[in-house]
Amino acid sequence: MPLAPADSDLLLVVDVQNDFCPGGSLAVPDGDAVVPVINRLARAFAHVVLTQDWHPPGHRSFASAHDGRQPFETVDMPYGAQTLWPDHCVQGTAGAALHGDIDIQNSQLLLRKGWHPGIDSYSAFFENDRRTPTGLAGYLRERGLTRVFIAGLALDFCVRYSAEDAHDAGFEAVVVEDACRAIDLAGSLDDAHRAFTGRGIARVKAGDVTRGWR
């Protein structure tokens, strides 16, 4: 069933950055394939927000910040278990830049996350300590926005947790699956699908949305 975006809807474009695309330091398989889908999708929305992973050098989520550790191992941090990643999306680097083919002229906010040196950030709403907000929920409420369509990278991490937090904050969350790609680390994609089902988070295709484009 087509979902024509309303004036109270937002498209949230998550972390479509060079380091998450082929050739990047934390490349999501086929990650750049989301770009044309997202560009087309964005034209259906009056409200668009983009997020950008924005880590300082030596961020504690990097394996290189932990002696003897390798990427994709897990360590305990003060806020809980943390997957260690290759250095990625370091502030001011080419890898942190949005993909060069992203063409969204109607975006109204670029939200940078993950800039606290000791806390990773998957969700667009909260840092991984689950206590430090990004301010996005307040922005949406101030603007009178009630439904969030989510696209970008990666489906099983930053998209997943953004969708969960949108739902938990009282917004209707919709994941546009063909405008996302996944890492699928140790079953993380199946975990994401179960989380969406458990919360009643809708999963749609971009064509279901753009068919209603005015």
Side-chain angles (χ1 to χ4, degrees):
M1 178 179 177
L3 296 172
D7 286 340
S8 58
D9 291 338
L10 173 88
L11 177 64
L12 179 63
V13 178
V14 177
D15 297 357
V16 184
Q17 296 168 255
N18 291 328
D19 269 343
F20 296 132
C21 292
S25 63
L26 185 49
V28 178
D30 203 29
D32 54 350
V34 306
V35 173
V37 182
I38 288 172
N39 286 344
R40 184 172 65 252
L41 189 63
R43 295 197 294 271
F45 286 83
H47 309 285
V48 182
V49 167
L50 294 89
T51 73
Q52 189 177 21
D53 229 20
W54 197 246
H55 297 307
H59 193 273
R60 295 296 292 172
S61 70
F62 296 165
S64 62
H66 300 263
D67 289 342
R69 294 290 189 170
Q70 298 298 316
F72 310 111
E73 292 182 1
T74 300
V75 297
D76 290 326
M77 299 282 277
Y79 52 82
Q82 170 67 51
T83 299
L84 296 178
W85 305 107
D87 290 27
H88 66 280
C89 297
V90 175
Q91 295 171 4
T93 64
L98 298 177
H99 190 285
D101 291 334
I102 283 287
D103 182 17
I104 303 176
Q105 300 302 316
N106 58 329
S107 62
Q108 297 153 347
L109 177 69
L110 175 63
L111 186 149
R112 286 174 167 166
K113 60 187 182 66
W115 49 267
H116 293 280
I119 312 172
D120 203 4
S121 182
Y122 298 154
S123 170
F125 290 86
F126 283 95
E127 307 289 343
N128 282 10
D129 65 356
R130 317 304 304 148
R131 294 190 301 272
T132 304
T134 66
L136 181 58
Y139 174 87
L140 299 184
R141 293 192 180 101
E142 289 278 345
R143 299 291 303 277
L145 304 174
T146 59
R147 183 167 60 169
V148 183
F149 290 75
I150 306 161
L153 304 172
L155 174 62
D156 43 345
F157 284 92
C158 296
V159 169
R160 171 192 171 178
Y161 290 105
S162 296
E164 289 184 12
D165 284 349
H167 173 273
D168 293 350
F171 302 100
E172 184 179 353
V174 180
V175 175
V176 187
E177 285 197 295
D178 57 337
C180 304
R181 292 294 187 275
I183 296 174
D184 200 11
L185 180 65
S188 56
L189 181 56
D190 285 343
D191 288 345
H193 288 157
R194 282 191 291 269
F196 297 153
T197 300
R199 283 176 165 80
I201 293 171
R203 293 151 59 188
V204 303
K205 300 295 186 184
D208 296 330
V209 181
T210 55
R211 274 197 293 270
W213 180 46
R214 55 187 181 275

